[in-house]
Amino acid sequence: NIFVIEKKKTELYQELGLQARDLRFQHVMSIATRNKRIIMRMEFLKAVITPEFLLILDYRNLSLEHWLLNELASQLAGEGQLVTYSLPFEFRAIEAILQYWISKLQGRLNTLQPQILETLEALVDPKLLSVDRSKLHILLQNGKSLSELETDVKVFKETILEILDEEEVIEELCLSKWTDPQVFEESTSGIDHAEEMELLLENYYRQAEDLLNEARELRVLIDDSESIIFINLDSHRNVMMRLNLQLTMGTFSVSLFGLIGVAFGMNLESSLEEDPRIFWLVTGIMFLGSGLIWRRLLSFLGRHLDPPLPPHVPAALKKSQPAAGRVDIKTSLKGETFGLSRSTLTNQ
């Protein structure tokens, strides 16, 4: 049965037998017991669980109507896929809330993962000479959302781990074990509700651990892609710097032999300017000399910028040790053969 009530805070905690601080609206994550009541705080989702009912506080402002009306009611009635459908009511209520929260975290990761992978695929391209700033902005926003998701999953894990480390708290979460004598007799006869509660919490702890590992792998992928982007940009920058250096050397070569043309361009009279072949001879010397100087500078640049080759190992050094081994073996075999011959002669 689902129904809606509106009460003042003072009336509510007096009716539940709680204190005002127990219903304080804090965006924290905790699971605690007070006066045979379980108080669950999953940030914006706050609930009070008793052996008879589940109370969700301030659900209208959180868009929880779909979950409350279409999913939660059927789960608590045993029509859903809850593992604890055969256990008391508080087990089903706790599992339903934990399942809702872990599915919400998983949904956030499923939304972020394709966006991040698509952005990284567009950025990590060796053909790109520059990086799209809009893609970087999208990646920055997705990285921030991923960091927030990792923080939420860590807090969820730590909250469950704190309960798993305290055996008394696990016992207190089994409300029906202490309020219903029949349930207590069943627990003493073989059905340990504390172990069932521990297994339930461990199950969602493992799910949170798997979710956190997926988020960490996505974070590592972002970091690796960032390194690849920097490597590609550095590679293109080195190509441009090398091209600039080659052009500078070419300009230097042309300028060096251009001094000949400058010398002939001065207003000085000599017998050379009267010969019609001198122009082509001087021009050819200028271009040929510039080309030779430029090739010489390029070869010098290649020797100093290319990675050095591994040192050459002479063939004699490679064969020295195996050859020595073979010589020792032959020597020992000869010695053994001679020894056998002498012993044979002596016996005869």
Side-chain angles (χ1 to χ4, degrees):
N1 299 323
I2 302 175
F3 58 91
V4 180
I5 59 173
E6 293 184 2
K7 288 187 178 182
K8 294 183 179 180
K9 185 177 179 180
T10 55
E11 297 177 358
L12 183 60
Y13 69 71
Q14 288 177 1
E15 182 180 346
L16 295 175
L18 302 174
Q19 298 182 1
R21 66 174 180 270
D22 297 329
L23 300 181
R24 189 176 300 158
F25 296 99
Q26 297 177 343
H27 286 276
V28 295
M29 190 169 294
S30 63
I31 303 175
T33 56
R34 297 285 190 278
N35 193 20
K36 302 297 187 296
R37 304 285 190 269
I38 299 175
I39 302 172
M40 295 188 65
R41 292 189 179 95
M42 296 292 169
E43 292 186 0
F44 58 85
L45 177 60
K46 302 175 180 64
V48 178
I49 303 173
T50 69
E52 296 82 16
F53 62 86
L54 167 63
L55 179 64
I56 305 294
L57 305 177
D58 280 356
Y59 70 94
R60 291 182 176 176
N61 298 329
L62 305 173
S63 301
L64 296 175
E65 289 87 350
H66 177 75
W67 174 64
L68 291 174
L69 300 177
N70 300 332
E71 300 180 11
L72 181 59
S74 60
Q75 288 178 345
L76 296 179
E79 300 176 0
Q81 298 179 353
L82 296 181
V83 182
T84 57
Y85 68 94
S86 60
L87 294 174
F89 178 79
E90 66 269 14
F91 285 83
R92 285 174 282 166
I94 292 175
E95 184 180 3
I97 294 176
L98 293 178
Q99 188 181 56
Y100 168 78
W101 193 254
I102 200 72
S103 63
K104 189 174 183 63
L105 295 176
Q106 184 67 48
R108 290 169 58 185
L109 181 62
N110 293 338
T111 304
L112 285 174
Q113 188 172 8
Q115 296 178 0
I116 293 176
L117 294 179
E118 182 180 359
T119 306
L120 292 178
E121 185 177 358
L123 289 174
V124 183
D125 190 355
K127 298 180 181 179
L128 296 178
L129 298 178
S130 61
V131 180
D132 191 357
R133 293 181 179 272
S134 60
K135 296 292 184 181
L136 289 177
H137 183 66
I138 295 174
L139 183 62
L140 180 61
Q141 292 180 345
N142 292 333
K144 183 179 179 181
S145 301
L146 183 62
S147 300
E148 294 176 355
L149 176 61
E150 289 179 354
T151 303
D152 293 340
V153 176
K154 288 179 182 178
V155 173
F156 181 76
K157 276 183 52 185
E158 293 174 357
T159 303
I160 297 180
L161 186 60
E162 290 177 359
I163 300 175
L164 292 175
D165 292 338
E166 299 292 338
E167 185 176 357
E168 296 179 356
V169 178
I170 297 177
E171 292 281 351
E172 293 175 355
L173 293 177
C174 305
L175 301 179
S176 300
K177 182 177 180 180
W178 310 107
T179 57
D180 191 354
Q182 183 179 359
V183 175
F184 182 77
E185 292 177 359
E186 292 178 357
S187 63
T188 56
S189 62
I191 302 176
D192 194 350
H193 287 179
E195 292 183 359
E196 295 290 341
M197 182 64 71
E198 185 176 359
L199 292 175
L200 173 64
L201 296 177
E202 285 182 354
N203 179 28
Y204 285 94
Y205 178 82
R206 287 195 298 269
Q207 293 186 26
E209 181 70 24
D210 296 338
L211 186 61
L212 185 60
N213 290 334
E214 293 180 7
R216 287 173 177 171
E217 291 177 358
L218 200 58
R219 173 65 62 184
V220 171
L221 183 60
I222 292 176
D223 296 338
D224 294 342
S225 301
E226 183 180 358
S227 302
I228 294 174
I229 292 172
F230 288 147
I231 291 174
N232 290 335
L233 293 178
D234 291 340
S235 177
H236 292 300
R237 190 182 298 112
N238 293 336
V239 171
M240 298 303 295
M241 292 176 63
R242 184 163 184 165
L243 179 61
N244 187 19
L245 184 58
Q246 291 176 355
L247 294 177
T248 302
M249 291 187 299
T251 305
F252 170 75
S253 304
V254 173
S255 301
L256 182 63
F257 279 85
L259 295 176
I260 301 177
V262 174
F264 278 90
M266 292 186 298
N267 296 325
L268 297 177
E269 296 181 357
S270 63
S271 60
L272 296 177
E273 65 269 9
E274 297 178 358
D275 192 348
R277 294 173 297 180
I278 293 298
F279 172 77
W280 300 109
L281 179 62
V282 172
T283 304
I285 293 174
M286 289 172 56
F287 279 100
L288 182 61
S290 300
L292 293 176
I293 291 295
W294 190 41
R295 293 295 300 175
R296 184 65 177 174
L297 292 176
L298 288 180
S299 62
F300 176 80
L301 179 65
R303 288 197 305 269
H304 286 77
L305 291 184
D306 292 338
L309 296 175
H312 179 68
V313 180
L317 295 178
K318 293 181 181 179
K319 298 180 180 180
S320 59
Q321 294 182 355
R326 287 196 296 269
V327 170
D328 295 339
I329 292 173
K330 290 181 180 179
T331 304
S332 61
L333 288 176
K334 290 180 179 179
E336 292 176 359
T337 304
F338 293 153
L340 290 174
S341 300
R342 285 193 298 270
S343 60
T344 304
L345 292 173
T346 305
N347 291 335
Q348 288 179 357

